[in-house]
Amino acid sequence: MARLSRRWISRTVGTSCLAAAIALPGVGSALAAPTADRAATSVHGTDPPPTPEPPGTPEPPSQPPPTPEENTEEDTESPGTPPPSDRTDPPDSDPPSDREKTQEPEKPAELKKDVQEGVANAPKEVRKQVEKALTQMLDLIDDPDTTPAERKAYAQIVKGMTETLKAIADPDTPAEDRAAYTKIMKTMSEAVTLSQEQTPAAGTQESRPARAPAALGLLASSGNALVALQDPGTAPTDPEDRKRIQQIVAEACEASKTIADPEASEEEKEEAKKVVARRAAVFKNAQYLDLMKEIKRYKAQAACVDTVENRTRQAGWTDGSLWGLSDAACAASVAEGARQENSQWHALMACVLRDPFSTCASEVPKD
């Protein structure tokens, strides 16, 4: 398979912008050492003996603070009032893999620095839209009324945009890729801005839910896909594959924009909603589930399973899943599948092993 050298360097993805608050346990009993014990540390023969305590006035024993375990039974027996639940994660965002959970979240200051650099790197024809969208998302990340799920989504979009803007500014980026990414930046920026303009005035009951969680989730997944496209360790090496993932990201951004666009027709909105719904249901797709069973039959590494899940989340079925299969982490499993000529997945595995993955969708078993 022909491979295109990757010349740009990306930065490690960081997600979430909140610092965790840590409660420190009490230390009461450690401070209650008797005076006589402390006096015993003096050098012998040089200090006068300690003054004895007056009789009949013993020091009351120190009472250590109750431990959390002592209150557990009481807490579990009382029904209590459950905390108000935030809106759930956008449907397109399945729980992250264990490997993703261990990544350090990016600090707000780092995000702001990325945004400043991104705006400076933005092509003139899209700079105003890009700057407006990135500024809006930074404000939303700082807004205490933004839910954790929304804050995470905005951080992922910001990261995807800033990494892509760096690639656009890189003189080694092929002209065709630069043009595709510039178009994506324009559409993604407009989708973000339109979603904010359609939000009802503050104080109304619908001010927060108006931001269409599914569409926001699709933009967040697209942001993650853009990061993966810029990373030499995860980017497709074949130009045909890279072009296909760019097209998928562009379609997802366009669908999110259309849903928020007041000038879009009802027919256009319905088509956009189908794109969002299809991506939201990707992990329930029967063919995807069968593929995951198949690679696990070949003792796929956890890194391979994670990668296929992540790429499927980022670019959907089938291209996202095949993008994951083409990763080095899946090489052994795909090679084993290609040897299993009696398997209905044999042709697909052989195709991914041999050809650009974007040409292999026709080999997915129909049954």
Side-chain angles (χ1 to χ4, degrees):
M1 180 191 308
R3 301 285 178 180
L4 180 70
S5 63
R6 308 168 189 140
R7 304 184 191 176
W8 59 88
I9 302 174
S10 70
R11 298 171 54 191
T12 306
V13 181
T15 58
S16 175
C17 304
L18 292 179
I22 304 174
L24 298 178
V27 289
S29 58
L31 303 177
T35 306
D37 289 343
R38 292 196 297 270
T41 61
S42 61
V43 180
H44 80 276
T46 59
D47 291 339
T51 305
E53 298 267 347
T57 58
E59 184 178 354
S62 63
Q63 295 293 331
T67 63
E69 288 80 2
E70 291 173 348
N71 295 329
T72 302
E73 183 177 355
E74 180 181 350
D75 291 343
T76 55
E77 288 181 354
S78 60
T81 302
S85 60
D86 290 331
R87 292 195 303 285
T88 57
D89 285 333
D92 190 56
S93 302
D94 259 38
S97 67
D98 289 341
R99 193 169 51 170
E100 286 180 315
K101 289 175 185 175
T102 62
Q103 293 176 349
E104 285 294 322
E106 190 157 14
K107 305 293 189 296
E110 294 172 353
L111 272 180
K112 290 177 182 178
K113 183 174 181 291
D114 289 344
V115 166
Q116 291 173 347
E117 294 175 355
V119 171
N121 288 328
K124 291 181 180 179
E125 62 266 34
V126 297
R127 186 168 296 166
K128 287 184 179 179
Q129 293 105 318
V130 165
E131 183 175 13
K132 183 175 182 180
L134 289 173
T135 301
Q136 283 178 322
M137 287 187 287
L138 282 183
D139 289 343
L140 288 162
I141 289 169
D142 288 338
D143 187 346
D145 290 336
T146 300
T147 68
E150 287 176 334
R151 187 171 288 111
K152 178 181 177 182
Y154 290 126
Q156 290 170 336
I157 300 168
V158 168
K159 194 65 181 174
M161 290 183 66
T162 54
E163 289 297 311
T164 303
L165 289 168
K166 279 191 276 187
I168 292 173
D170 187 342
D172 290 335
T173 299
E176 187 177 6
D177 287 349
R178 188 178 293 111
Y181 290 137
T182 299
K183 183 178 178 181
I184 289 171
M185 290 298 93
K186 181 177 185 295
T187 307
M188 183 174 269
S189 297
E190 290 173 344
V192 170
T193 299
L194 283 169
S195 70
Q196 299 312 307
E197 291 175 352
Q198 293 305 303
T199 301
T204 65
Q205 296 239 347
E206 298 179 0
S207 59
R208 279 303 180 191
R211 282 199 288 268
L216 179 59
L218 187 55
L219 282 176
S221 295
S222 298
N224 288 336
L226 288 172
V227 172
L229 278 169
Q230 311 315 324
D231 187 337
T234 56
T237 55
D238 190 283
E240 193 170 350
D241 290 339
R242 197 163 57 251
K243 182 178 179 181
R244 178 57 186 155
I245 300 303
Q246 289 167 353
Q247 289 173 344
I248 290 171
V249 172
E251 290 167 2
C253 293
E254 189 65 44
S256 298
K257 172 189 169 183
T258 300
I259 288 174
D261 188 353
E263 297 183 4
S265 68
E266 285 303 315
E267 184 179 355
E268 289 172 330
K269 287 182 181 291
E270 286 304 314
E271 287 302 313
K273 288 176 182 177
K274 288 178 183 178
V275 173
V276 173
R278 186 165 57 248
R279 288 288 298 276
V282 68
F283 289 102
K284 298 178 182 178
N285 182 287
Q287 290 176 314
Y288 164 77
L289 295 174
D290 286 344
L291 172 64
M292 297 304 286
K293 289 179 184 177
E294 186 72 8
I295 63 173
K296 289 175 183 178
R297 281 183 55 214
Y298 304 133
K299 310 297 182 187
Q301 302 175 23
C304 172
V305 174
D306 286 348
T307 300
V308 175
E309 288 178 354
N310 292 338
R311 302 294 167 262
T312 302
R313 182 180 298 111
Q314 293 162 7
W317 171 264
T318 56
D319 292 278
S321 303
L322 302 187
W323 180 13
L325 276 185
S326 70
D327 191 90
C330 292
S333 297
V334 171
E336 180 62 25
R339 288 192 289 268
Q340 304 297 318
E341 296 186 3
N342 60 339
S343 168
Q344 63 175 347
W345 292 92
H346 159 72
L348 176 68
M349 299 294 182
C351 183
V352 171
L353 195 64
R354 179 186 65 242
D355 301 327
F357 66 75
S358 56
T359 66
C360 298
S362 61
E363 302 295 347
V364 174
K366 299 300 186 290
D367 298 330

